[in-house]
Structure formats: structure tokens, C-alpha cells
Amino acid sequence: MMYMIKRGEQEFGPYSGNDIQQYLNSGNIVDTDLVRAEGSDRWLPVKDILAKKASVGSAAAPVANTPTPAPSYTPDPAPQPVNDPFLSPSSTSQASDFGSTGSSWGAPAAGYASQAVSSVESGVGQSSGASGAMKNGAPLPPGLNWVMVIVFAFLTCGIFALVYLFMQAGWVQKLDQQSKAKKFLVLLLALYALVFVLMFISIGLQALMPDSFIGPMVSMISPILNIGVFVLYLLAVFNMRSSLEGYFNAEEPINLKLNPILVFFFAPYYFQYHFNRITTWKTTGTLPN
């Protein structure tokens, strides 16, 4: 006798009693699935049909009254017609009507339960990755209010503004891997430190050798290095401007336009003003004016 299997709203089969026993042992069929004999409209749990079949002495192998599903089985939504878990890949193309009878269906796909687990784990991994992604693509920029950046810069004599500019350059580099702003700022910091070192050396030499020309000559080097510091600053901030306008007018087009004059004079504060706008846009969907 042949049997039909039902899971959810989908029907599969027909299968022989031996086939059902084999699939039950492998975990492809569980005792929560329903089964009916061909020609009958009554659906019963798989275990009941197998027990009845065994009691009347059919050719099928006897089965336990309460079969235990394979440990690796993971309940899955009703299989889609083109992805029947009871069919091998070679026989999938033969399936055109899951409700039909008399068709010859292949053996269950090997490792069905492990495939279901892999699908679930894959979905969880994608969901977990998505949780770290911010709305509208790029991660959120540094979130300090631009007015507070001005206040902290004032209280620290500009040191905070320079440090914060490093943070801003790091975020810009996430948008544009080709950005050189951070490298320019590192060189700026090194050159700035050298200016201070030469200043103290010049003061020491003039104190120890007031009549020597060495002290004044060393002090003359500092203004030249200060020009280099300023050039590196301009290279850094205008490189950031180019990266920001490129990204937010192509990848995430919000028509971002950065005034070069304001970038020249107020880069850390001006950038942060726009970063605050971008944060609002990413978290609410509305871009402030």
C-alpha cells in the first residue's frame, strides 16, 4: 500500500511503508507529520499508520509505537514546492504537482536536518550582522554636538579640536578607503611636535650662549615648519571635504555641499555640524536644513 505525507499545507508522496520507515529513522519524517493511505481521506499521525500496518502483518518493517525524531532534526516551515525536503536534487525537476499521486519521487535529500540547521544559523548570522549596520548604509558619524566641540576646543586652547579632527578623519576613512586625511594629520602632529622641540632648543641655546648665532638660527626654522603644519592641515581637511561630498552625492545621495571657505577656517566645527545633520537623517529619515 502507498501513503501520502502531509506537513503543514503541503502533501508529498506517494511512499511505501518501507520508505516512510526509512525516512522516519533518518529524521526526514517525524511523528508530528500526518499520513494517509491512498484512497482514504483520513489523515493520521505517522506513528499510528505504521503501528496499524505492523499489526496487520504488512511487508513493511515493524516500527516503534512512539518513534523518536533524529536528534539533529530542526522543525522547519512547510517546504516550498521547488525545494521539497523529501526529494533528492536529481528528482526535484520532476516535481510539478505536490498533490498528485502515482508519481515516482526520489529518496529524501541527504542531510535535510543539517541543512535546515545551517539555514537557520545562516539567517541568525545575517541578522546579527545587520544589527551592527546603521540605517542608510554607512555607520553613524561622531555624535558630539557641534556647539560642544567649540566649547571644549575653547577650554583646551584648541587641543580638543585637533583630537576631534582625528576622530572625524577616522570616520571619513570608513566611507572612503582612499582618504589620506588621517595620514596628513599624523604628519601634521609630528611636524607640530618638532616645532615645539626646536622652540625649546632655541630658548636653551640663547640662554646658554647669548652671543652665539646658533640660537637665533634654530628659532628661524620654526616659522618655516609652521608653514608646513598649515599646509598639512589644509591637505587633510580638503581631502575630507572631497571624500564626504563624493560619498554623500553618490553612495548615499543627500546633495551634500561643503563650503570651502568654512572648511578653511572652521573645519572641525563645520564638519561636525554636518555630521549632526547626517546622524539625524540616519536615525529619523529626515535631513535637517
Side-chain angles (χ1 to χ4, degrees), residues 202-282:
S202 174
I203 293 173
L205 289 174
Q206 291 184 46
L208 294 174
M209 298 181 292
D211 297 328
S212 174
F213 68 93
I214 299 178
M217 185 180 68
V218 171
S219 66
M220 291 175 60
I221 300 176
S222 294
I224 298 175
L225 295 181
N226 278 323
I227 294 175
V229 169
F230 184 66
V231 170
L232 287 170
Y233 169 81
L234 292 181
L235 288 172
V237 297
F238 277 94
N239 186 268
M240 291 172 66
R241 173 180 180 264
S242 176
S243 296
L244 287 168
E245 288 189 340
Y247 183 86
F248 286 106
N249 287 285
E251 300 297 328
E252 297 183 48
I254 58 173
N255 194 31
L256 180 66
K257 302 295 182 184
L258 299 174
N259 188 302
I261 296 177
L262 294 178
V263 170
F264 183 91
F265 287 105
F266 310 109
Y269 322 116
Y270 185 54
F271 286 151
Q272 193 57 33
Y273 166 75
H274 285 284
F275 288 176
N276 292 159
R277 294 177 65 233
I278 292 169
T279 298
T280 301
W281 170 61
K282 285 180 171 293

Side-chain angles (χ1 to χ4, degrees), residues 39-182:
S40 172
D41 295 330
R42 185 181 180 189
W43 291 99
L44 295 173
V46 170
K47 62 180 182 180
D48 292 352
I49 288 293
L50 291 179
K52 180 178 179 181
K53 184 174 180 296
S55 67
V56 297
S58 68
V63 295
N65 288 334
T66 55
T68 302
S72 62
Y73 177 80
T74 301
D76 204 55
Q80 297 299 316
V82 296
N83 189 26
D84 182 358
F86 296 100
L87 299 178
S88 64
S90 62
S91 63
T92 303
S93 60
Q94 303 174 14
S96 61
D97 183 2
F98 277 60
S100 64
T101 60
S103 301
S104 177
W105 303 91
Y112 168 68
S114 62
Q115 291 174 6
V117 172
S118 299
S119 298
V120 171
E121 290 176 348
S122 174
V124 171
Q126 293 175 358
S127 176
S128 176
S131 67
M134 311 313 285
K135 182 178 178 182
N136 296 329
L140 290 177
L144 188 63
N145 186 278
W146 68 277
V147 176
M148 297 306 299
V149 176
I150 296 175
V151 172
F152 290 139
F154 176 78
L155 294 176
T156 58
C157 299
I159 295 176
F160 181 83
L162 181 60
V163 172
Y164 205 75
L165 191 61
F166 267 92
M167 295 176 58
Q168 293 172 331
W171 182 75
V172 170
Q173 195 167 29
K174 295 179 182 179
L175 308 181
D176 179 13
Q177 298 296 323
Q178 305 302 317
S179 173
K180 297 180 176 61
K182 206 167 184 179

Side-chain angles (χ1 to χ4, degrees), residues 4-8 19-35 44-50 65-76 85-86 108 112-113:
M4 300 294 293
I5 298 294
K6 184 175 183 181
R7 179 179 294 170
D19 289 338
I20 295 177
Q21 178 63 57
Q22 179 183 350
Y23 302 158
L24 183 66
N25 292 339
S26 65
N28 289 22
I29 295 177
V30 294
D31 56 3
T32 56
D33 293 332
L34 300 178
V35 61
L44 295 173
V46 170
K47 62 180 182 180
D48 292 352
I49 288 293
L50 291 179
N65 288 334
T66 55
T68 302
S72 62
Y73 177 80
T74 301
D76 204 55
F86 296 100
Y112 168 68

